[in-house]
């Protein structure tokens, strides 16, 4: 019989490199399941529905909220984001560890529902580096960059409430640090 998988919450301000770190974790971690979040934001160039996000209309998203289909959901910079619950439960029951890419509002909701979840917060080396990374994406307007930086300041205040805080200075180093912490948390 399979041992039940663990739930890992990974949060970070936008532009911190969380998606890159998670991709590296998934390459190195056996029995890991990445939960694809749902959102009402428009896809960025190259993003694929069902791979990067489930891209939903606002009415579709709101219907799923009413049905209780999300482990957590929140509004962030004008769009809805949420984590479909059933795929996570199925994966964990099969013995896989579920890795969630979650912002801080969702973190609080999940910890209330599943206090056994292990949480990791990734911080940028500095706010200057975070701003540089956001600008280098070339995907956001000046106003949106300012919103993301202001949101990052608020999110960084939540870091002490996570089980582990790591600085994303070098992707391989932070990935190895998170993997070691995941092994330790078992």
């Amino acid at each position: 019989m399979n041992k039940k998988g663990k739930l890992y919450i990974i949060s970070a301000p936008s532009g911190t490199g969380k998606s890159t770190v998670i991709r590296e974790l998934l390459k190195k971690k056996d029995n890991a399941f990445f939960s694809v979040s749902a959102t009402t934001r428009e896809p960025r160039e190259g993003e694929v529905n069902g791979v990067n996000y489930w891209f939903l209309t606002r009415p579709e998203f709101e219907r799923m909220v009413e049905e209780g289909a999300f482990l957590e959901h929140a509004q962030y910079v004008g769009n809805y984001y949420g984590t479909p619950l059933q795929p996570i439960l199925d994966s964990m029951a099969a013995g896989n560890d579920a890795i969630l890419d979650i912002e801080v509002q969702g973190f609080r909701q999940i910890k209330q529902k599943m206090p056994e979840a292990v949480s990791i917060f990734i911080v940028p080396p500095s706010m200057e580096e975070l701003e540089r990374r956001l600008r280098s994406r070339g995907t956001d307007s000046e106003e949106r960059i300012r919103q993301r930086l202001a949101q990052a300041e608020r999110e960084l205040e939540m870091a002490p409430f996570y089980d582990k805080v790591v600085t994303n200075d070098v992707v391989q180093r932070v990935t190895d640090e998170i993997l070691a912490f995941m092994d330790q948390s078992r």
Side-chain angles (χ1 to χ4, degrees), residues 13-28:
S14 179
T16 303
K18 173 180 53 179
S19 297
T20 301
V21 170
I22 289 172
R23 266 195 308 277
E24 290 302 308
L25 286 172
L26 292 169
K27 286 181 194 174
K28 294 182 172 188

Side-chain angles (χ1 to χ4, degrees), residues 30-45:
D30 293 334
N31 82 317
F33 165 79
F34 178 69
S35 171
V36 177
S37 296
T39 184
T40 58
R41 80 159 169 76
E42 291 296 314
R44 293 186 184 128
E45 188 175 329

Side-chain angles (χ1 to χ4, degrees), residues 7-153:
L7 179 62
Y8 294 96
I9 302 166
I10 300 180
S11 301
S14 179
T16 303
K18 173 180 53 179
S19 297
T20 301
V21 170
I22 289 172
R23 266 195 308 277
E24 290 302 308
L25 286 172
L26 292 169
K27 286 181 194 174
K28 294 182 172 188
K29 185 162 179 42
D30 293 334
N31 82 317
F33 165 79
F34 178 69
S35 171
V36 177
S37 296
T39 184
T40 58
R41 80 159 169 76
E42 291 296 314
R44 293 186 184 128
E45 188 175 329
E47 287 184 327
V48 177
N49 189 44
V51 174
N52 304 97
Y53 283 95
W54 293 106
F55 294 100
L56 305 175
T57 64
R58 289 182 86 83
E60 287 172 324
F61 195 100
E62 290 166 351
R63 178 185 49 77
M64 289 179 71
V65 168
E66 289 175 21
E67 293 171 353
F70 291 114
L71 175 59
E72 61 77 34
H73 66 281
Q75 199 163 10
Y76 179 78
V77 197
N79 291 298
Y80 286 125
Y81 291 84
T83 304
L85 176 60
Q86 198 58 52
I88 293 166
L89 296 177
D90 293 345
S91 178
M92 290 174 60
N96 297 309
D97 290 336
I99 297 175
L100 309 184
D101 175 347
I102 300 291
E103 48 65 57
V104 296
Q105 292 176 55
F107 156 74
R108 290 189 297 247
Q109 290 177 44
I110 293 170
K111 284 301 262 188
Q112 287 178 339
K113 292 177 185 174
M114 299 178 82
E116 71 278 9
V118 177
S119 58
I120 301 160
F121 195 90
I122 303 173
V123 298
S126 67
M127 287 304 289
E128 293 77 21
E129 175 62 13
L130 180 61
E131 182 174 355
R132 186 196 67 73
R133 290 176 184 179
L134 288 171
R135 290 185 184 287
S136 70
R137 281 180 174 176
T139 58
D140 291 324
S141 66
E142 184 62 30
E143 179 184 350
R144 183 58 58 106
I145 289 171
R146 282 195 305 273
Q147 289 175 336
R148 288 188 187 280
L149 289 170
Q151 182 71 25
E153 292 280 357

